[in-house]
Amino acid sequence: MSLIDFQHLHQQIKNKLFEISYKIDCFNQSGDTDISRYAETYFKGIFNIVYKKDNWNFSKSQKINQDTYDLFDEKNKICIQITSNKRQSKKDKTIQQFENKHYQNGFNTLIILFTTQSKPKKNKNPINFDYQDFNIIEFCGLIEDKCEQTELLKIRDILLNNNELPRNRNKTAKKSQNKKVSQREFLRRKKIEKELIKELLIEDFWDKIDREELAKLPIHKFKDSRFILRSISDESYPNVDENSKWSRTFMYDFYEKGILIWLDAVSGTEALVNENMEWYILEYGEKNKEFEKGFQRVKIRILGELPFKNIVYWEDGDAYYNDYHLFCKYDGIDETPFDKIVYRFENTLGYFWRELDIDKRIK
């Protein structure tokens, strides 16, 4: 790559980041703050490329509008907050919350990315942990300093292959449900449903498994609940990179339109719920936190509704994984194959039947 081409590559990245910064600011001023949350997808991929040589690997926070961080690296104990709020009070509050909640639990580094052209002033008071912050211009400089041609090309592809900022696709998914379904498509879905029920479930499971056990853990009705969920457009399998759209996960149960996928089967999740059924998920490092007044701790299960309409093909294992493979269209909410994410909580008898109201989730 010539010097001119290299300079042009830097310019492409800057132009797109400045465009994102401008769009976030415009949407926020118009009252649409969701755009900031979905822009985190861009920055997660970029941060993982920028700090790959440092062996940093960031995941997104499960709690929406997390006050202290949006991305975190549990292994290296690093939190990143991405915000368009450039007020000094926002910075001071984030630093204080990190010190109170996460520094005490082993995290030692906080980074704040202000998606604006300016940022708050330097802190007058000493900070007890590693701290860095960047405005969008400084972030472009960080990319130039730490990335070589290969990394720059990857960042350019992340930015230019998505012409618009990610949007919340819940509305899109709901609209698609109202479209008329052709007879051919209806029969295709019924065929997939019939094949999967016959292939995946234990024959006559009602006679072989205790009814109470099935009520508490419907996952036991499957011959093997673990499977590979794959996008029909994914080309990375069996390798994994920041753009991979396949995962190894668990089936939970069938529902009227498809299969429930148990998204937190391995890790388990807890939430705090108050008497008005307002709730929020406990993050890593908050497991031992004191209850807020009026709240109680409950176990929850996070389930993705995978409709038959999004399942294109299935097969029983391959040379890499002996699990079932479901090949799906990833055109549901937030570029997933799911029509909906539901949160069921445990009652006093140990059943997970009731759903938490997503509109009462505390942000």
Side-chain angles (χ1 to χ4, degrees):
M1 178 178 286
S2 69
L3 179 60
I4 294 177
D5 290 336
F6 198 68
Q7 184 179 10
H8 180 63
L9 181 57
H10 279 296
Q11 194 64 43
Q12 283 182 302
I13 292 172
K14 283 183 179 179
N15 287 343
K16 191 62 181 180
L17 285 173
F18 293 159
E19 177 188 336
I20 291 172
S21 172
Y22 175 75
K23 284 187 176 181
I24 290 174
D25 183 54
C26 289
F27 275 106
N28 286 343
Q29 288 189 37
S30 69
D32 185 355
T33 57
D34 278 348
I35 197 72
S36 299
R37 175 158 60 90
Y38 288 97
E40 294 162 12
T41 303
Y42 278 99
F43 293 111
K44 170 180 171 289
I46 295 173
F47 270 111
N48 280 333
I49 293 171
V50 169
Y51 288 107
K52 185 175 182 180
K53 293 178 182 177
D54 299 288
N55 294 317
W56 294 4
N57 185 32
F58 295 99
S59 302
K60 286 186 68 173
S61 164
Q62 287 187 336
K63 185 191 291 185
I64 297 176
N65 291 341
Q66 163 69 252
D67 288 332
T68 311
Y69 65 88
D70 301 298
L71 310 175
F72 70 99
D73 180 342
E74 183 179 333
K75 180 180 178 181
N76 294 294
K77 305 303 180 186
I78 304 163
C79 292
I80 296 178
Q81 167 95 139
I82 300 167
T83 180
S84 60
N85 185 345
K86 59 184 179 181
R87 296 187 183 93
Q88 186 69 43
S89 58
K90 169 65 176 178
K91 175 182 174 180
D92 294 341
K93 181 180 178 182
T94 301
I95 290 174
Q96 182 180 4
Q97 288 183 328
F98 177 83
E99 185 168 19
N100 294 340
K101 294 181 179 180
H102 307 293
Y103 180 59
Q104 303 297 329
N105 289 297
F107 281 83
N108 52 39
T109 302
L110 173 65
I111 298 172
I112 304 180
L113 171 60
F114 296 94
T115 61
T116 49
Q117 293 184 33
S118 59
K119 66 179 185 180
K121 298 177 181 179
K122 291 184 178 180
N123 287 71
K124 297 180 180 179
N125 300 323
I127 298 177
N128 299 321
F129 48 84
D130 292 334
Y131 172 78
Q132 302 175 54
D133 58 35
F134 307 96
N135 59 34
I136 199 67
I137 298 171
E138 292 170 335
F139 188 61
C140 291
L142 176 72
I143 292 172
E144 291 185 9
D145 291 341
K146 292 187 70 71
C147 295
E148 298 177 358
Q149 177 183 329
T150 302
E151 289 79 25
L152 291 173
L153 287 170
K154 288 181 179 179
I155 293 173
R156 191 272 311 272
D157 290 343
I158 288 176
L159 295 170
L160 297 186
N161 287 343
N162 296 277
N163 294 323
E164 298 295 334
L165 282 174
R167 304 294 291 151
N168 188 333
R169 300 185 64 182
N170 280 300
K171 295 180 180 179
T172 303
K174 290 179 180 178
K175 287 181 180 179
S176 67
Q177 292 174 1
N178 295 326
K179 290 183 178 179
K180 290 184 178 180
V181 178
S182 67
Q183 180 178 340
R184 182 177 180 180
E185 171 60 15
F186 173 81
L187 292 176
R188 186 197 71 82
R189 296 179 191 179
K190 299 304 292 183
K191 181 175 181 290
I192 285 281
E193 178 182 2
K194 184 177 180 181
E195 289 176 352
L196 291 177
I197 289 175
K198 181 179 180 180
E199 181 66 28
L200 300 178
L201 297 183
I202 297 171
E203 186 177 359
D204 298 325
F205 62 87
W206 280 110
D207 297 327
K208 299 174 181 177
I209 304 173
D210 178 76
R211 300 294 177 91
E212 185 172 356
E213 179 183 352
L214 280 174
K216 292 184 176 180
L217 282 169
I219 192 172
H220 288 169
K221 69 177 66 173
F222 291 94
K223 296 175 184 176
D224 186 355
S225 63
R226 190 156 194 169
F227 78 107
I228 306 295
L229 183 63
R230 298 174 61 176
S231 168
I232 57 174
S233 63
D234 180 78
E235 296 181 354
S236 66
Y237 178 87
N239 299 315
V240 178
D241 58 41
E242 58 266 22
N243 298 315
S244 293
K245 286 191 175 181
W246 72 272
S247 60
R248 204 175 184 200
T249 184
F250 292 83
M251 301 178 196
Y252 183 78
D253 201 358
F254 279 85
Y255 72 108
E256 65 274 12
K257 294 182 180 179
I259 305 175
L260 292 174
I261 307 304
W262 194 354
L263 302 177
D264 63 336
V266 175
S267 59
T269 307
E270 292 183 328
L272 290 183
V273 183
N274 66 17
E275 60 185 5
N276 297 320
M277 297 305 295
E278 297 170 321
W279 60 283
Y280 65 91
I281 290 175
L282 286 171
E283 292 287 325
Y284 176 84
E286 295 182 321
K287 300 296 184 182
N288 298 320
K289 71 176 292 183
E290 294 182 3
F291 291 179
E292 295 182 36
K293 186 176 181 181
F295 282 81
Q296 63 176 337
R297 188 192 302 264
V298 296
K299 293 180 180 179
I300 65 173
R301 290 176 183 167
I302 304 177
L303 307 173
E305 293 187 354
L306 174 62
F308 293 119
K309 67 183 177 67
N310 284 348
I311 302 175
V312 177
Y313 179 75
W314 67 272
E315 65 181 19
D316 185 7
D318 61 12
Y320 297 99
Y321 291 98
N322 196 36
D323 307 316
Y324 289 104
H325 293 235
L326 295 186
F327 296 83
C328 302
K329 295 181 290 185
Y330 275 48
D331 59 2
I333 58 171
D334 301 337
E335 298 183 3
T336 72
F338 307 120
D339 269 354
K340 183 181 177 183
I341 305 296
V342 298
Y343 302 82
R344 294 188 184 177
F345 66 96
E346 184 181 30
N347 64 17
T348 55
L349 298 177
Y351 298 105
F352 290 80
W353 288 343
R354 290 184 60 192
E355 290 181 17
L356 292 167
D357 187 348
I358 194 66
D359 292 329
K360 292 187 176 182
R361 183 170 179 173
I362 298 172
K363 298 181 179 181

